[in-house]
């Protein structure tokens, strides 16, 4: 009887948020058994730091806050898409402003998760991006 092999694609994740609490919370969730093969390649506290990290580490996945100092999420998405259009960006924001969310999606973000979120919602959103 042939055995079916499950192959997990390894994904590199970068977490971008000006809140240390949110960065650590998302990072902690990477131990979730539903998210195999994700390694964190960087934690950035603003858009400028994220773009530098993106250039150096080439993430596959990015969780991105929109309201941050130095460079906001919209500009950050745009710059990251220039570096690598294949990056999957999940916007994680408390902004209830739909226009801003739509703007991020138009610039290349592939998903949106509203803060506050629970662990299950974040895991589901990341799995959706990885499909």
């Amino acid at each position: 009887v042939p055995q079916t092999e499950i192959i997990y694609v390894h994904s590199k994740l970068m977490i971008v948020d000006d809140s240390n609490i949110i960065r650590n919370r998302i990072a902690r969730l990477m131990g979730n058994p539903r998210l195999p093969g994700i390694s964190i390649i960087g934690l950035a506290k603003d858009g400028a730091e994220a773009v530098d990290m993106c250039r150096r580490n080439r993430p596959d996945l990015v969780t991105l806050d929109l309201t941050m100092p130095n460079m906001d999420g919209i500009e950050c998405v745009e710059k990251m898409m220039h570096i690598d259009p294949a990056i999957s960006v999940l916007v994680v924001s408390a902004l209830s402003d739909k226009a801003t969310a739509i703007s991020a999606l138009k610039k290349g973000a592939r998903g949106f998760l509203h803060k506050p979120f629970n662990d299950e919602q974040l895991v589901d959103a990341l799995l959706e991006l990885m499909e």
Side-chain angles (χ1 to χ4, degrees), residues 12-17 41-42 44 46-66 68 71-92 104 107-110 129:
K12 298 182 294 184
L13 172 70
M14 182 170 71
I15 300 166
V16 186
D17 200 298
I41 56 143
D46 61 49
E49 190 178 32
V51 171
D52 284 347
M53 226 176 258
C54 179
R55 217 172 264 125
R56 283 195 316 271
N57 302 332
R58 298 298 168 126
D60 305 302
L61 297 168
V62 177
T63 62
L64 178 70
D65 189 14
L66 289 180
M68 298 178 293
M71 181 191 297
D72 69 12
I74 303 289
E75 189 181 344
C76 185
V77 168
E78 199 171 10
K79 289 186 185 299
M80 286 192 298
M81 287 299 134
H82 282 298
I83 295 166
D84 182 358
I87 295 172
S88 292
V89 177
L90 174 66
V91 172
V92 181
K107 299 281 184 198
R110 292 189 171 86
L129 277 192

Side-chain angles (χ1 to χ4, degrees), residues 112-130:
F112 187 87
L113 182 62
H114 198 271
K115 288 179 191 172
F117 56 87
N118 64 38
D119 294 359
E120 206 59 24
Q121 289 168 318
L122 180 69
V123 169
D124 288 344
L126 286 168
L127 286 170
E128 216 171 280
L129 277 192
M130 293 164 68

